[in-house]
Amino acid sequence: VDRFQVSTIMSWKRGGESSPNKSGDEDLYDYDYSIDLNPTGAAPATSFTGFNKVPGTAQPQRLMTGANANAGRMMTGQASRMGTAGGAGGGELRPMTSVSGAGYQSAKTSKASFDPLNQRGAAPALAEKADNSPEEMARDLEKQVNALLEKSAFSAQKGDHTTALEHAKEAGKKERALCKHRESNGLVDQINIDLTYAVCFNLANAHHKCLMYDTAIHTYGLLVKNKQYPQAGRLRVNMGNIYYEQKKWPQAIKMYRMALDQIPNTGKEVRFKIFRNIGNAFVRLGQFQDAIPSYETIMGGNPDFQTGFNLILCYLALGDGEKMKRGFSKLLSIPIQGMSEFDEDNDAEESKAVDDAEAVGARPDGLRQELKKRQREANQYILTAARLVTPQLDKKDWSAGFRWAIETLKPDHEGIASELEIDMALMHLKRREFDKAIDMLKLFEKKDKHHRAMAATNLSFIYFLEQDFTQAEKYADLAYTNDRYNAKALVNKGNCLLVKGDFEMAKQFYLEAIGVEADCVEAIYNLGLVNVKMGNYQEAQQAFEKLHTIIPHNPEVIYQIANLYEQTSDLVNTIKWFNILSTRVPSDPFILARMGQLFNKHDDESQAFHYHLESYRHYPVSLDVISWLGVWYVKSELYEKAIHFFERASQIQPDEVKWSLMVTSCYRRMHNYQKALELYESIHADHPDNLECLRYLVAICKDLGRSYDTYQHKLSRLDRAAASATQTNRGGALTRVGGGGMEGGGGGGLINNEMRTSMTAQRTSAMGGALGRVEETGGG
């Protein structure tokens, strides 16, 4: 029955003792208005207990006392008040005809608005979360583990591997706590094995990045051996990479092969990468024959330039010319992921337009940049392979290999073929076949601008070496005219102007070359040299110090810096930079002698002696060093050792009489007059017109009480004949003064003065030679 029928039945039952066969008025009173007409949908406040109410009992229950009772009225007036059932006493029930109050009061509410969907008022407050259940705690722990994994991954991406490892370890601890929590609360079926795998993998990777190889291998091993992870076998690739970094090539190959066995044939990309790793490991072992099958497998399935290049290297190591040709042809057959032929033809104009657009703030074309990058990489692999292979293809005629490679490249790679022709010309140049090199380079005058500028640069350098400065300048002009941004062409032009003496223009070309290529070492070096020639020592020092930051171990640059400090009389910094230079070239005798001279100026005799002696040890024929050491031993009154050095000088210059006189002088200082007399007589026999020898003979004969009339007669005759000549003869004057000093015991200091003069001349010569050599090197 529907609700209306149920309410009617209940009203009839409440009639008490009256018969159901009532009149129409009674039926009117018996009609039940308790039907829920409340639009708000509120439930009735009374129950249905009136169904079983026995007649004659106490006051009956009301069937409806709604919050808005007025809404349920069907009639107006007093006769329509159906909401009271009778008196409040316990007497006989009577029909509801009374107008007296029954003791019931309706709720005082405002008139309700129409709200059929019960959307009136604000939503009720959310129920508070109950105490954490084991499932809730497990979910919270799992969220914490995932958050730590993300932090570790982000730190590793930024390169902060230490922080990544800390987060990975913390995630491992949280994950183990999560597993124990689920086991202790009977939630074993909720254990997330994928989360465990992710935590262990991240931890192993973090150990690997922190170079903790043994721990990483152990963690990877736990994952690989766990049967719950059927795909974990590919982690052996990571284990192989760790062994590869440790240079444990056999273990790496073993891991790569085990990983290869567990990867299905559908994963071709991964399999080819593993094959490449196996081939690389065999190459590291020097087993090129074993590496070739791995590379050939890749070239047969998914060829790429890197693998093709490695395969050519293996063929090159084995010396198999035919396989080298086959591998090179296979390398050329790989399609280049770059621009089409139409794009290549218009590349220069489009590149200029793109560069101009990017310069004014336009968004760069990322796809175009990526394609050009791939094309450059492919061309570099092909050109390098050609340079390696061509000289080895024909042992008897090296040029035959170049010709074969050039003919092979011309159909599809004409630009690379042109660069290989330039390499062939340079090979002729290395073999001093200058005419052939010049003829080949001149063929580029009708080619594209880039290669024409490259050939002109090399021609300018060749003519510069041949000291044909007119032709060198001509081709330098041609080179930088075709390519204004060719730094080497600008350097060659500057060198030609430097030779002509136009220092200011040469400086401008060097500066322009540096503007084109900021790290052009030739331009920076030559800029320093031209500033030295112009007397701009401060600018020269700035140039050389900048170059020192680019090539910090170059001895020529360090020498120039030290030399500049010496020219500015900064002795402390001069010694400092020469010390740095001596660590780079510890066996250079001229640098050691130069340092000896510096310490001699600094009045540090012990260090000066040390560096001169080291210079003599590396180069025992330098007369400057020998004379300085001999004089030092004379000043120290170690005449026996001084004799050794003066005799060595006499052997180097047997026609120079002063060395023999110095040896004899040492014997006189040792009071070995008999030996000195014999040596003077020997010197007089070889050089009868030497005045100094005759004077010493006269003096020593007087000391020994021997006859000296013959020597005195010759001395007087020579004095009268060559009085003026002896005054202008520098060597004789120094020897005579030294001899006079030796008689008085002071010859050593004058001899030392003579040695210093000679060493100063040698130092100036060495400086000029060094500068000349560097200029020639810089010109290239």
Side-chain angles (χ1 to χ4, degrees), residues 139-192:
R139 280 193 287 270
D140 289 342
L141 284 172
E142 189 168 340
K143 289 179 181 178
Q144 295 176 17
V145 173
N146 286 322
L148 288 170
L149 283 176
E150 291 179 1
K151 289 181 180 179
S152 177
F154 283 130
S155 298
Q157 184 182 14
K158 294 177 182 177
D160 189 0
H161 301 302
T162 303
T163 306
L165 179 59
E166 292 176 359
H167 289 313
K169 288 181 177 179
E170 187 65 24
K173 292 179 182 178
K174 293 280 187 182
E175 196 275 333
R176 287 192 295 271
L178 173 62
C179 291
K180 289 181 180 179
H181 172 77
R182 283 174 169 165
E183 290 174 357
S184 61
N185 289 278
L187 303 174
V188 180
D189 56 334
Q190 295 183 9
I191 293 179
N192 191 348

Side-chain angles (χ1 to χ4, degrees), residues 66-83:
N68 195 3
N70 294 330
R73 293 185 176 181
M74 301 297 293
M75 297 176 64
T76 60
Q78 294 182 355
S80 64
R81 292 173 61 93
M82 304 299 294

Side-chain angles (χ1 to χ4, degrees), residues 99-157:
V99 295
S100 62
Y104 297 100
Q105 294 180 353
S106 61
K108 296 180 180 180
T109 56
S110 61
K111 187 176 180 181
S113 62
F114 182 73
D115 189 12
L117 299 179
N118 195 22
Q119 296 178 345
R120 182 180 58 192
L126 295 175
E128 294 184 0
K129 185 178 179 181
D131 294 339
N132 286 335
S133 62
E135 292 85 353
E136 290 293 335
M137 294 179 64
R139 280 193 287 270
D140 289 342
L141 284 172
E142 189 168 340
K143 289 179 181 178
Q144 295 176 17
V145 173
N146 286 322
L148 288 170
L149 283 176
E150 291 179 1
K151 289 181 180 179
S152 177
F154 283 130
S155 298
Q157 184 182 14

Side-chain angles (χ1 to χ4, degrees), residues 717-745:
R717 181 171 53 85
L718 290 174
D719 279 338
R720 289 191 301 268
S724 60
T726 55
Q727 296 297 326
T728 58
N729 190 332
R730 180 174 178 275
L734 286 173
T735 306
R736 183 167 60 254
V737 173
M742 191 168 290
E743 293 292 331

Side-chain angles (χ1 to χ4, degrees), residues 157-338:
Q157 184 182 14
K158 294 177 182 177
D160 189 0
H161 301 302
T162 303
T163 306
L165 179 59
E166 292 176 359
H167 289 313
K169 288 181 177 179
E170 187 65 24
K173 292 179 182 178
K174 293 280 187 182
E175 196 275 333
R176 287 192 295 271
L178 173 62
C179 291
K180 289 181 180 179
H181 172 77
R182 283 174 169 165
E183 290 174 357
S184 61
N185 289 278
L187 303 174
V188 180
D189 56 334
Q190 295 183 9
I191 293 179
N192 191 348
I193 61 173
D194 293 333
L195 182 62
T196 305
Y197 177 87
V199 169
C200 293
F201 173 73
N202 183 63
L203 182 60
N205 187 58
H207 282 301
H208 181 193
K209 295 297 183 182
C210 291
L211 306 182
M212 302 170 68
Y213 296 127
D214 294 336
T215 310
I217 289 289
H218 174 71
T219 309
Y220 278 129
L222 295 177
L223 288 174
V224 169
K225 294 176 183 178
N226 195 330
K227 301 299 182 182
Q228 292 181 330
Y229 309 127
Q231 301 297 328
R234 64 181 59 197
L235 292 181
R236 293 190 182 275
V237 176
N238 295 21
M239 299 172 70
N241 292 341
I242 294 175
Y243 285 125
Y244 192 95
E245 291 181 15
Q246 292 179 299
K247 298 183 179 181
K248 298 179 180 179
W249 318 119
Q251 292 92 326
I253 293 171
K254 177 183 176 182
M255 287 297 166
Y256 289 144
R257 285 178 169 172
M258 293 176 70
L260 194 64
D261 293 338
Q262 298 187 17
I263 295 177
N265 292 329
T266 54
K268 291 183 179 180
E269 294 292 333
V270 179
R271 290 179 64 87
F272 287 141
K273 290 180 179 179
I274 296 175
F275 272 119
R276 181 190 297 168
N277 290 357
I278 293 173
N280 292 345
F282 275 121
V283 169
R284 294 289 186 178
L285 281 172
Q287 300 177 9
F288 302 104
Q289 191 65 48
D290 295 327
I292 288 174
S294 298
Y295 291 142
E296 288 180 342
T297 302
I298 302 172
M299 295 300 291
N302 186 20
D304 61 272
F305 287 99
Q306 182 180 355
T307 304
F309 180 77
N310 292 344
L311 182 60
I312 292 174
L313 290 181
C314 292
Y315 291 147
L316 179 65
L318 297 177
D320 193 335
E322 292 300 323
K323 288 186 176 181
M324 279 189 278
K325 289 183 177 180
R326 187 171 69 238
F328 188 73
S329 300
K330 181 67 176 177
L331 186 68
L332 296 182
S333 66
I334 301 174
I336 298 178
Q337 297 179 351

Side-chain angles (χ1 to χ4, degrees), residues 430-708:
K430 290 179 180 179
R431 294 174 176 269
R432 299 186 176 277
E433 299 172 355
F434 300 108
D435 295 335
K436 292 183 179 180
I438 292 173
D439 292 339
M440 288 198 67
L441 291 172
K442 285 183 177 180
L443 296 176
F444 284 86
E445 293 182 357
K446 297 182 180 180
K447 293 195 175 184
D448 60 283
K449 289 185 177 181
H450 173 69
H451 293 98
R452 185 162 63 242
M454 189 182 299
T457 302
N458 289 307
L459 283 170
S460 175
F461 174 68
I462 293 173
Y463 284 122
F464 189 86
L465 293 180
E466 292 181 346
Q467 296 185 355
D468 188 351
F469 301 119
T470 304
Q471 290 292 324
E473 187 173 6
K474 169 189 172 183
Y475 283 101
D477 291 336
L478 179 63
Y480 85 84
T481 300
N482 285 282
D483 187 1
R484 189 68 183 181
Y485 299 101
N486 187 348
K488 293 181 174 58
L490 294 169
V491 170
N492 288 345
K493 176 64 175 178
N495 292 344
C496 295
L497 294 172
L498 180 63
V499 172
K500 291 168 63 176
D502 192 351
F503 299 139
E504 190 62 38
M505 285 301 299
K507 180 179 178 180
Q508 294 303 320
F509 273 95
Y510 293 143
L511 289 172
E512 187 175 353
I514 295 170
V516 171
E517 187 177 333
D519 58 347
C520 181
V521 295
E522 295 89 354
I524 301 173
Y525 191 91
N526 291 347
L527 177 63
L529 292 179
V530 76
N531 280 320
V532 169
K533 290 184 176 294
M534 295 172 67
N536 301 330
Y537 296 124
Q538 187 65 29
E539 294 183 12
Q541 186 173 347
Q542 291 177 358
F544 287 124
E545 287 181 352
K546 177 184 177 181
L547 190 57
H548 180 63
T549 60
I550 300 174
I551 43 175
H553 303 296
N554 187 276
E556 295 178 349
V557 177
I558 299 173
Y559 171 81
Q560 295 293 343
I561 295 173
N563 189 49
L564 281 171
Y565 276 119
E566 185 177 13
Q567 292 185 13
T568 55
S569 302
D570 190 346
L571 193 58
V572 176
N573 280 318
T574 304
I575 294 174
K576 169 190 170 183
W577 282 97
F578 270 114
N579 274 322
I580 296 173
L581 182 59
S582 66
T583 61
R584 299 287 182 266
V585 281
S587 59
D588 190 321
F590 300 103
I591 299 301
L592 294 170
R594 185 80 172 273
M595 294 187 67
Q597 296 164 17
L598 290 171
F599 281 110
N600 192 33
K601 288 181 180 180
H602 206 256
D603 295 330
D604 191 344
E605 290 286 334
S606 60
Q607 287 292 329
F609 170 73
H610 167 73
Y611 282 107
H612 277 101
L613 192 61
E614 285 295 306
S615 176
Y616 174 78
R617 186 170 65 87
H618 291 290
Y619 188 64
V621 293
S622 175
L623 290 173
D624 294 333
V625 175
I626 291 172
S627 61
W628 191 94
L629 288 170
V631 170
W632 189 87
Y633 280 118
V634 168
K635 291 172 62 177
S636 301
E637 299 183 357
L638 299 173
Y639 304 116
E640 296 88 349
K641 292 186 177 180
I643 289 172
H644 167 73
F645 287 99
F646 291 138
E647 286 179 345
R648 173 59 62 88
S650 180
Q651 293 171 0
I652 297 171
Q653 287 185 333
D655 296 332
E656 185 63 48
V657 67
K658 67 178 180 180
W659 304 119
S660 301
L661 293 173
M662 290 178 182
V663 172
T664 311
S665 175
C666 291
Y667 280 110
R668 289 177 59 209
R669 287 171 177 268
M670 295 168 61
H671 304 291
N672 191 349
Y673 299 113
Q674 187 63 38
K675 181 66 175 177
L677 179 60
E678 294 175 0
L679 290 175
Y680 280 132
E681 291 176 347
S682 176
I683 295 170
H684 178 65
D686 295 332
H687 305 278
D689 295 333
N690 188 274
L691 293 172
E692 288 74 21
C693 181
L694 287 172
R695 289 191 177 92
Y696 289 136
L697 278 173
V698 170
I700 201 169
C701 287
K702 287 181 179 179
D703 293 339
L704 293 176
R706 294 190 179 186
S707 175
Y708 58 89

